[in-house]
Amino acid sequence: MTTATEPDTRPTALELGTDVLYLSKQDVLDLAISRTEILDHTRDALIEHGHHRYEMPAKIGVHPYSEVFFHAMPAYVPGKNAVGCKWIECYPNNPKKFGLPQTTGLMVINDVESGVPVAIMDSTWVTAMRTPAVTVLAAAKLHPTATTFGMFGCGVQGKEHVRYAAEALPKLETVYVYDTNAAAADALIAELQTDVPFTIVKGDSVEAVVKRSEVLSSATIILKEPLAVVKDEWVGAGQTILPCDLNTFWDPRTTKRADKFIVDSIDEHELFAEMGYFPDGLPTIVAETGEVLADVVAGRENPEQIIVNSNIGMAVCDVVVGRAIFDRAVDRNVGTTLTL
Ligand SMILES: NC(=O)c1ccc[n+]([C@@H]2O[C@H](COP(=O)([O-])OP(=O)(O)OC[C@H]3O[C@@H](n4cnc5c(N)ncnc54)[C@H](O)[C@@H]3O)[C@@H](O)[C@H]2O)c1
């Protein structure tokens, strides 16, 4: 709300090449974009990716310390009139060391025709939303009949994964959650149980969660050397495993012996492997997530298959969601207009 004495910095007359719209995290939240809308935008982005109608070089990055990275994530998705770049960091020790999130960042959205920047926005919310959207869209395609879901990691991503599971997997009856920090699992259950249609159960152990869940996801920590917290012998026929923390949480033997290893981006996974992740070698990749969602490549072909679907995050999803945020902000006069 502006008063008569304050300059009106709202975006009513955003002039291309002169103005840029700044959207804080609160501005983005104020737009009240629903999870259903995020699922729609993310599905669109994945389907465009599946049809190879995009431009998205694998992330380039810098690494001030071992195990941390900054990534530049540019993408252009013509079918969605979306072009821009996300600049994010992943510092796995931030929560313990500084009480800060592992991942924060900014995104720039540009005008496709003239190229000029039109928006700068906090990208924490976008990342927190589009990542679980990818997981559950893939889960719904690969395992639509699932009644059980296991979630490892109950932080920012874990919570949103459970919320998104409620949107996209209507047959779920029980969601098991597990975190080495038991308080995080308790907090997730306390915060979400009344909002979702299934029962959330705190897992007694990693093994118990793995053995009780048809579909599994992990959002814990990304490290070069796999922790192999989930032993291969606990994984059985028919399970669908969707890590968003690369191969860190899972026994590399599982990914190697899976009937299908599907990834969101082959280029991204090859790049991570070059950086030293997947020290046992990158398993053979049979398809990209978008190709499966777009029905370009088959997903699950029988109920016995073990499928591992690793989604490390793609800029095509960020810029498509970012463009939608910008359009809504302009429409609703939200944000602060800055001069370029
Ligand atoms: N694929 C993507 O697009 C994408 C996007 C964002 C974040 N991530 C990754 O997802 C992971 C989680 O991110 P976040 O923002 O939710 O972090 P967060 O710090 O909010 O939550 C991580 C949770 O995992 C728990 N945890 C850590 N090690 C564990 C273990 N061995 N077993 C069980 N629980 C464990 C922590 O206690 C914490 O509660 C990170 O690795 C991050 O890099 C991936």
Side-chain angles (χ1 to χ4, degrees):
M1 191 69 138
T2 53
T3 65
T5 52
E6 289 171 343
D8 188 348
T9 55
R10 293 174 308 165
T12 315
L14 202 66
E15 203 172 312
L16 279 184
T18 302
D19 299 330
V20 64
L21 185 62
Y22 176 71
L23 295 166
S24 67
K25 185 175 177 193
Q26 191 56 49
D27 290 333
V28 177
L29 286 171
D30 287 346
L31 296 171
I33 298 177
S34 68
R35 289 185 180 81
T36 311
E37 289 174 281
I38 296 289
L39 282 167
D40 290 342
H41 294 306
T42 306
R43 186 186 298 104
D44 288 350
L46 288 170
I47 286 177
E48 290 306 295
H49 188 265
H51 286 293
H52 304 277
R53 296 187 290 244
Y54 68 94
E55 196 179 348
M56 185 186 73
K59 298 157 188 165
I60 56 164
V62 291
H63 312 85
Y65 306 105
S66 163
E67 308 286 10
V68 312
F69 54 78
F70 285 83
H71 276 159
M73 299 175 62
Y76 170 44
V77 184
K80 301 294 288 182
N81 193 33
V83 66
C85 183
K86 187 168 88 165
W87 174 238
I88 60 134
E89 54 79 11
C90 180
Y91 272 56
N93 290 323
N94 263 4
K96 269 192 206 147
K97 228 170 145 185
F98 302 114
L100 291 170
Q102 293 194 52
T103 305
T104 55
L106 286 171
M107 179 153 56
V108 174
I109 296 294
N110 296 72
D111 173 53
V112 171
E113 275 187 53
S114 65
V116 298
V118 290
I120 300 168
M121 65 182 79
D122 167 80
S123 68
T124 315
W125 185 85
V126 176
T127 306
M129 294 290 131
R130 66 73 158 138
T131 308
V134 172
T135 301
V136 301
L137 287 165
K141 185 76 177 173
L142 295 167
H143 214 133
T145 57
T147 58
T148 49
F149 185 100
M151 185 70 224
F152 294 110
C154 298
V156 174
Q157 287 295 334
K159 279 185 187 166
E160 280 304 329
H161 272 68
V162 175
R163 286 196 187 277
Y164 272 89
E167 302 273 334
L169 296 163
K171 293 201 162 58
L172 284 186
E173 292 167 9
T174 312
V175 169
Y176 298 96
V177 296
Y178 182 89
D179 196 299
T180 37
N181 173 10
D186 291 335
L188 182 156
I189 296 170
E191 196 180 320
L192 272 59
Q193 183 58 85
T194 52
D195 295 348
V196 294
F198 41 70
T199 306
I200 313 176
V201 176
K202 187 164 129 183
D204 300 329
S205 65
V206 172
E207 182 177 356
V209 172
V210 172
K211 290 186 171 170
R212 287 184 190 137
S213 307
E214 294 155 278
V215 175
L216 290 142
S217 181
S218 56
T220 57
I221 195 165
I222 296 177
L223 299 173
K224 286 186 179 151
E225 200 57 48
L227 296 172
V229 180
V230 176
K231 304 293 166 232
D232 183 48
E233 43 277 23
W234 302 339
V235 174
Q239 286 184 304
T240 304
I241 297 169
L242 303 119
C244 67
D245 44 11
L246 277 182
N247 57 331
T248 311
F249 200 73
W250 304 85
D251 191 328
R253 288 178 296 163
T254 303
T255 316
K256 284 246 156 106
R257 80 174 167 101
D259 296 285
K260 291 199 173 191
F261 180 51
I262 299 167
V263 302
D264 53 357
S265 161
I266 293 173
D267 288 350
E268 299 289 358
H269 280 73
E270 286 177 346
L271 187 79
F272 272 99
E274 275 168 34
M275 287 193 284
Y277 298 83
F278 297 98
D280 298 338
L282 194 59
T284 306
I285 299 167
V286 301
E288 291 184 318
T289 309
E291 292 176 322
V292 174
L293 284 181
D295 292 319
V296 172
V297 179
R300 177 174 289 289
E301 287 170 298
N302 71 60
E304 297 300 306
Q305 286 181 324
I306 294 175
I307 298 182
V308 177
N309 176 204
S310 169
N311 296 299
I312 189 52
M314 295 200 295
V316 289
C317 300
D318 295 314
V319 299
V320 167
V321 174
R323 179 73 212 192
I325 290 171
F326 169 68
D327 288 341
R328 174 79 58 94
V330 170
D331 195 45
R332 300 210 177 158
N333 276 346
V334 169
T336 305
T337 304
L338 304 176
T339 304
L340 272 172

